[in-house]
Amino acid sequence: MNKSDVLIIGAGAVGCALARELSKYKLSVTVVDKNDDVGGDASKSNSGLFSTSATMPVGTLECKLRTIAHSMMMNICKDLDVPVIECGSIAPILYPEQIETAKALTEKAFLNGVYDYEILPAKDILELEPTLNPNLLGGIYSPRDKQCNQFILVSAFAENAAENGVEFVLDCAVTGMDVKDGKIHAVHTTKGDFQATWVINAAGLYCDEISAMVDECDFKINPRKGEFYVFSHDTPVKVSHIISSVPSPKTRGVLVIPTVDNNMLVGPTADDVEDKTDAKTTASGLASIKDQALNMIPGLHFEDTITQFVGIRPARTPEGYDIRFSEKVPGFIGISGVRSTGLTASVGIAGYVVHGMKEAGLELERKEGWKRTRKGIVRFADATDAEKDALIASNPLYGKIICRCEQVTEAEILQAIHRPVGAKTVDAIKRRVRAGMGRCQGGFCSPMVIEIIARELGIPEEDVRKRGAKAFMLDRD
Ligand SMILES: Cc1cc2nc3c(=O)[nH]c(=O)nc-3n(C[C@H](O)[C@H](O)[C@H](O)COP(=O)(O)OP(=O)(O)OC[C@H]3O[C@@H](n4cnc5c(N)ncnc54)[C@H](O)[C@@H]3O)c2cc1C
């Protein structure tokens, strides 16, 4: 039986931010996840935005935690070497009826403490973003909205937590709990039983199933699907701000997003679905994104799309964040309803939960030598010629390009595999260093990536997985 002080279920943004926060203290912490990698479900398939709380429902826990987290995030990203672009956002006002909505939104922003969310005239908006529809009537400008690589953020939380002593057990699904007399005696998983004084449910889309295991589920998770287009680097019309539709109560609407990796994202939709695993894009969803995006930016080249993907938001009924310290089962903490804002809010949620644990009696003794910082993998593609020469001189494998589209070298792939909580599958490598993310989507580099994984992990090539337990890259018959 694996025994620890704290067991976190889920290695998404919330679970990994919590693991890092708890790693500051003299506690044994274990994180389990059903997936083969850290990075979560929703956490790896989203827009990657750190947005202010301007449009959040006023006075809610979600608004509070997002506001707190937004102000912390840049320092944390600096400490963890996570790239962020501080691009700001613009919501163009295209119709007269949107003017009143925009005015109401600025009032709401004021109530949420966001004083720099303002309506600008058409001329100013077009100066900031000349690609926008020239017929616009004005726009809402929000200068502190930012974009990050969401996967690097979450894996950086995890790597740093692991360096500070947190244990990650992956490919490990929680299947049930043994609860008697208000106490969790064992957490059953596909990798045996775990025991902990504190069990934290950070299972995202599946948090209802985990809460039901301790009879604490009085809510419903409503999967809300979001489809996206990914554009190639070399598309001729690009934006320098996040462009969003004027938001509605349900969604921020379609966005055109400049990214740290220089691939524009266009999306998402917001459709309630039944199936939590429904990762299929749809013709109607993609067509509606295209219509809305072209209405805002008529020059976009949709023929430069290189792929599409889906993310599922763990929306909740009743709506909103719910962070609950169970009275029935002391030591069980349920986190639910972390829907469209959780990447940003993750570090706020982590601080809030740890403070709650302290109030509930946990002694938090600071660890000596806690490592605040982490260095990311140096990207060959971003280096100057002189830096490239120095990289190759320090490690000749920086001179061996594996992914031609994204200029990813063997040196980067080896680091992705051998770091704490390292990559074990083709998709895990793709997310960490971008091998396979380019125009050919892995057509060229996948065979070499398979070879490298097999060699480094000491397994046959037939056992190399794309992702998950059963998705093998090669025919095993
Ligand atoms: C389309 C879309 C756009 C978004 N845009 C943004 C944005 O721009 N900015 C922002 O801040 N937020 C955004 N979000 C929201 C954000 O992605 C989520 O709020 C956040 O990722 C939730 O993180 P999480 O850790 O709670 O969940 P997840 O990332 O889903 O992680 C939960 C983890 O729990 C694991 N798990 C589940 N069940 C079990 C089990 N039985 N046993 C073991 N492990 C289990 C899963 O495998 C998963 O890894 C967006 C979401 C979507 C879908």
Side-chain angles (χ1 to χ4, degrees):
M1 171 112 66
N2 177 312
K3 290 190 179 177
S4 51
D5 296 317
V6 186
L7 177 70
I8 299 172
I9 303 169
V14 173
C16 291
L18 247 169
R20 177 176 188 259
E21 189 60 29
L22 286 165
S23 76
K24 294 175 177 167
Y25 304 102
K26 289 185 183 166
L27 293 169
S28 54
V29 180
T30 304
V31 182
V32 292
D33 200 292
K34 66 176 171 48
N35 294 345
D36 60 79
D37 195 11
V38 297
D41 290 332
S43 304
K44 66 175 183 289
S45 312
N46 58 47
S47 317
L49 305 185
F50 296 152
S51 303
T52 67
S53 297
T55 60
M56 289 274 88
V58 180
T60 56
L61 180 63
E62 178 173 11
C63 183
K64 172 175 154 176
L65 295 181
R66 175 154 151 179
T67 306
I68 290 164
H70 188 266
S71 65
M72 293 162 71
M73 209 39 129
M74 285 310 283
N75 274 348
I76 292 177
C77 287
K78 217 154 127 203
D79 285 341
L80 299 181
D81 202 10
V82 176
V84 179
I85 45 172
E86 298 185 67
C87 47
S89 75
I90 293 174
I93 299 170
L94 297 167
Y95 306 106
E97 57 271 26
Q98 287 179 324
I99 294 173
E100 283 312 307
T101 311
K103 283 185 185 160
L105 285 168
T106 59
E107 280 309 306
K108 192 181 209 185
F110 182 79
L111 294 176
N112 284 333
V114 184
Y115 290 10
D116 53 358
Y117 182 87
E118 51 179 348
I119 299 176
L120 299 185
K123 182 173 159 288
D124 294 13
I125 291 288
L126 287 168
E127 257 169 39
L128 285 169
E129 193 62 59
T131 57
L132 285 169
N133 186 332
N135 300 322
L136 58 80
L137 306 172
I140 310 172
Y141 179 49
S142 180
R144 288 180 294 126
D145 289 344
K146 309 170 179 73
Q147 206 274 341
C148 76
N149 176 320
Q150 60 276 59
F151 184 74
I152 299 291
L153 175 73
V154 180
S155 60
F157 289 152
E159 281 180 19
N160 187 241
E163 283 228 283
N164 285 303
V166 172
E167 184 187 3
F168 284 82
V169 186
L170 302 174
D171 282 319
C172 179
V174 170
T175 51
M177 291 190 212
D178 186 1
V179 187
K180 253 188 238 129
D181 305 325
K183 190 169 180 304
I184 300 173
H185 293 270
V187 175
H188 306 305
T189 80
T190 48
K191 285 197 168 168
D193 285 356
F194 290 67
Q195 205 177 53
T197 314
W198 297 88
V199 176
I200 306 180
N201 174 7
L205 270 173
Y206 299 89
C207 64
D208 51 349
E209 293 172 23
I210 301 293
S211 284
M213 292 175 193
V214 291
D215 197 19
E216 276 279 2
C217 188
D218 56 3
F219 58 90
K220 187 176 178 312
I221 291 296
N222 315 107
R224 188 167 295 156
K225 181 171 175 172
E227 304 180 32
F228 288 94
Y229 285 95
V230 183
F231 275 50
S232 115
H233 296 172
D234 50 11
T235 191
V237 175
K238 287 188 179 174
V239 293
S240 53
H241 297 81
I242 300 154
I243 307 301
S244 76
S245 317
V246 174
S248 76
K250 188 172 161 196
T251 165
R252 239 184 123 162
V254 162
L255 304 151
V256 180
I257 305 168
T259 67
V260 287
D261 300 306
N262 207 16
N263 289 102
M264 270 192 324
L265 290 180
V266 186
T269 48
D271 293 310
D272 291 333
V273 292
E274 287 300 316
D275 180 359
K276 293 176 178 176
T277 62
D278 178 0
K280 290 193 262 334
T281 52
T282 61
S284 60
L286 293 173
S288 116
I289 295 172
K290 191 171 167 182
D291 282 353
Q292 292 179 60
L294 286 172
N295 198 18
M296 295 191 290
I297 307 172
L300 284 178
H301 284 236
F302 272 85
E303 62 274 27
D304 290 330
T305 303
I306 54 175
T307 187
Q308 298 102 13
F309 68 91
V310 163
I312 316 250
R313 305 167 184 87
R316 175 189 196 274
T317 307
E319 273 259 321
Y321 282 21
D322 188 273
I323 300 180
R324 200 177 295 183
F325 287 67
S326 172
E327 286 178 9
K328 241 189 295 177
V329 185
F332 179 80
I333 303 169
I335 304 172
S336 61
V338 184
R339 38 150 213 150
S340 310
T341 52
L343 196 70
T344 315
S346 56
V347 293
I349 296 171
Y352 182 87
V353 169
V354 174
H355 187 264
M357 291 167 82
K358 189 170 123 195
E359 291 213 310
L362 175 67
E363 236 175 79
L364 292 175
E365 203 185 326
R366 190 90 184 185
K367 221 185 244 171
E368 268 170 44
W370 181 72
K371 297 186 191 86
R372 179 178 296 279
T373 59
R374 160 235 181 231
K375 229 27 241 139
I377 298 173
V378 176
R379 271 171 71 164
F380 186 77
D382 294 343
T384 61
D385 284 352
E387 287 165 346
K388 283 180 178 160
D389 287 345
L391 284 171
I392 294 168
S394 71
N395 178 356
L397 290 179
Y398 263 111
K400 193 167 169 197
I401 299 281
I402 300 295
C403 168
R404 284 196 301 206
C405 303
E406 296 288 311
Q407 298 283 291
V408 183
T409 64
E410 184 162 349
E412 291 156 83
I413 294 175
L414 293 192
Q415 291 174 66
I417 294 172
H418 293 299
R419 284 186 155 229
V421 214
K424 304 276 179 287
T425 62
V426 171
D427 279 1
I429 288 192
K430 177 171 162 178
R431 288 191 291 266
R432 278 175 181 70
V433 292
R434 299 188 58 75
M437 283 278 193
R439 192 176 262 284
C440 89
Q441 290 287 294
F444 177 78
C445 65
S446 292
M448 285 176 285
V449 172
I450 294 170
E451 227 177 273
I452 296 169
I453 295 177
R455 184 187 75 213
E456 296 300 314
L457 299 184
I459 57 175
E461 287 183 10
E462 292 74 20
D463 288 355
V464 173
R465 293 176 288 163
K466 177 167 167 53
R467 61 165 172 267
K470 291 186 191 139
F472 295 98
M473 290 297 290
L474 303 177
D475 190 354
R476 287 155 57 87
D477 290 335

